Amino acid sequence: MAHLPLILLVSALCASLPALDASAGDADPIYKSCVEQCEKSGCVGSKCFQHCKFSSDGKPIDGPWYMQEPLYLRWKQWDCRSDCRYQCMLDREEEREKLGDKPVKYHGKWPFRRVYGIQEPVAVALSALNLTIQFHGWISFFILLYYKLPLRQSKKPYYEYAGLWHIYAIISMNSWFWSAVFHSRDVELTEKLDYSSAVALIGFSLILSITRAFNVRDEAARVMVAAPLAAFVTTHILYLNFYKLDYGLNMKVCAGMGIAQLLVWAVWAGVTRHPSRRKLWVVVVGGGLAMLLEIYDFPPYRGFVDAHTLWHATTIPFTYLWWSFVRDDAEFRTSTLLKKGK
């Protein structure tokens, strides 16, 4: 249940995947000419780049550029072309702003401003904050289970879904981690890790939603629910990483699994008498409204905050609320089981 904000995250991510690399900005003749000249000269106006140092035979001087940087900076993979594109984009956007034109996308992305080499610094900060909220929610859930609520004689909690929530917490924090890395620098490796962790999260969330909503407690029944879904998700992740990073297919898979579990939770919220069901409705309705930020896409304000970044911010209170719901659910189920045992 606490995974609903993350379901919305994954759905937003899948919906925002670029279908094509070409955009209005990189089709601009002035921008294209700027990039071509920069790759030849290594400079845009008075600004020159260390990555654009070539010998007479066209090879980089002193080996690959990343060997000329400290080890902790190599992951960025900035090269001559990426630096030229970035500076030409900034210069072109300044010209467009003076003419009263609106910002346009370049190579499928809005024109963000870097901070210390980080592509989308605000999105990175919000992803890190979401990861922190997830960790806080998990720790508070753990403390409630093992230090505040009664335990069985085997020292295990009465709450039947505790193990699933522990797994969920790890997967969700992993997803937020790679979200932060991906927004720091968008390269093939970080892209695949971000999308793979997102698909893994939404797949496990679907398993968890079915297990909890239908009160599946028998281990054999849980395996019957989890096995086919786990096999499907694993196959899809392998397909994306080792065969083809198909954005269209990934969007359909994410949307399908996301809609399925949202329907499960919506139906369950409508029929259950759970004392904290209102929290469920708040996140479902509020999260749905927040998704409008993904539909109404707009360029980044001052080069830092766009619609998707704002959407990252909305997940913070929803995540906090949902871990509160999980704790309530643990208390409710524990109390119910203790009453039945008397």
Side-chain angles (χ1 to χ4, degrees):
M1 289 159 287
H3 59 282
L4 279 175
L6 273 295
I7 295 171
L8 298 174
L9 163 67
V10 177
S11 300
L13 172 64
C14 294
S16 61
L17 296 179
L20 295 172
D21 188 52
S23 302
D26 45 88
D28 185 347
I30 298 177
Y31 168 79
K32 293 171 67 176
S33 176
C34 174
V35 174
E36 291 174 1
Q37 290 299 320
C38 175
E39 290 181 335
K40 293 177 181 178
S41 65
C43 301
V44 177
S46 60
K47 188 173 181 62
C48 298
F49 308 104
Q50 64 171 346
H51 303 148
C52 297
K53 297 178 180 179
F54 297 93
S55 61
S56 58
D57 60 359
K59 296 182 179 180
I61 299 175
D62 298 327
W65 68 267
Y66 52 80
M67 297 300 293
Q68 304 171 23
E69 288 194 322
L71 180 63
Y72 67 90
L73 292 177
R74 293 181 193 176
W75 66 273
K76 296 185 304 180
Q77 294 188 24
W78 296 120
D79 56 15
C80 181
R81 172 170 291 184
S82 60
D83 278 340
C84 286
R85 284 180 173 181
Y86 174 71
Q87 192 59 45
C88 287
M89 175 191 72
L90 292 183
D91 289 357
R92 184 63 183 129
E93 282 304 303
E94 289 179 2
E95 295 172 0
R96 291 176 58 84
E97 185 178 3
K98 292 177 181 179
L99 296 173
D101 295 332
K102 296 181 179 180
V104 294
K105 290 185 177 182
Y106 295 80
H107 306 284
K109 289 183 171 290
W110 287 115
F112 283 92
R113 290 184 176 273
R114 298 180 192 168
V115 175
Y116 296 109
I118 298 176
Q119 281 184 311
E120 302 175 39
V122 178
V124 171
L126 291 173
S127 293
L129 184 55
N130 271 286
L131 190 156
T132 303
I133 297 297
Q134 285 287 343
F135 181 74
H136 173 270
W138 179 36
I139 292 299
S140 62
F141 174 66
F142 184 90
I143 292 173
L144 174 71
L145 278 182
Y146 295 97
Y147 294 96
K148 294 183 179 181
L149 294 178
L151 296 174
R152 299 177 186 271
Q153 291 183 351
S154 60
K155 300 301 181 182
K156 292 183 178 180
Y158 282 91
Y159 188 50
E160 315 97 314
Y161 309 101
L164 294 175
W165 285 119
H166 293 322
I167 296 172
Y168 156 75
I170 294 171
I171 295 176
S172 62
M173 287 187 290
N174 176 72
S175 182
W176 279 118
F177 172 79
W178 289 116
S179 172
V181 173
F182 174 68
H183 286 297
S184 298
R185 180 66 171 106
D186 177 6
V187 295
E188 183 180 0
L189 177 61
T190 59
E191 181 182 47
K192 287 183 176 180
L193 288 169
D194 183 41
Y195 296 165
S196 297
S197 61
V199 173
L201 172 62
I202 199 171
F204 185 78
S205 297
L206 178 57
I207 294 171
L208 189 50
S209 66
I210 295 173
T211 303
R212 179 62 188 94
F214 290 94
N215 201 22
V216 181
R217 288 175 288 179
D218 182 72
E219 289 299 325
R222 288 187 177 185
V223 171
M224 292 177 65
V225 171
L229 289 173
F232 172 76
V233 170
T234 301
T235 302
H236 180 64
I237 291 174
L238 291 174
Y239 177 88
L240 293 177
N241 283 274
F242 300 106
Y243 183 72
K244 180 182 179 182
L245 189 56
D246 191 326
Y247 298 109
L249 174 63
N250 194 48
M251 180 180 65
K252 294 175 182 177
V253 170
C254 289
M257 292 193 295
I259 291 172
Q261 58 196 286
L262 287 175
L263 287 175
V264 169
W265 287 122
V267 172
W268 184 76
V271 300
T272 186
R273 294 184 178 181
H274 198 288
S276 298
R277 60 185 178 277
R278 291 184 180 179
K279 293 181 180 179
L280 173 64
W281 283 114
V282 169
V283 174
V284 170
V285 175
L289 293 175
M291 282 295 294
L292 294 175
L293 289 170
E294 290 299 321
I295 298 174
Y296 181 64
D297 191 21
F298 57 82
Y301 177 71
R302 296 188 179 275
F304 293 107
V305 180
D306 68 339
H308 184 68
T309 304
L310 284 180
W311 185 86
H312 271 294
T314 66
T315 62
I316 294 171
F318 291 139
T319 300
Y320 184 85
L321 179 64
W322 272 107
W323 274 110
S324 173
F325 182 88
V326 172
R327 293 192 296 271
D328 292 347
D329 189 50
E331 292 181 357
F332 173 68
R333 287 297 304 164
T334 300
S335 174
T336 301
L337 291 172
L338 288 174
K339 288 178 181 179
K340 288 183 178 179
K342 291 181 179 180

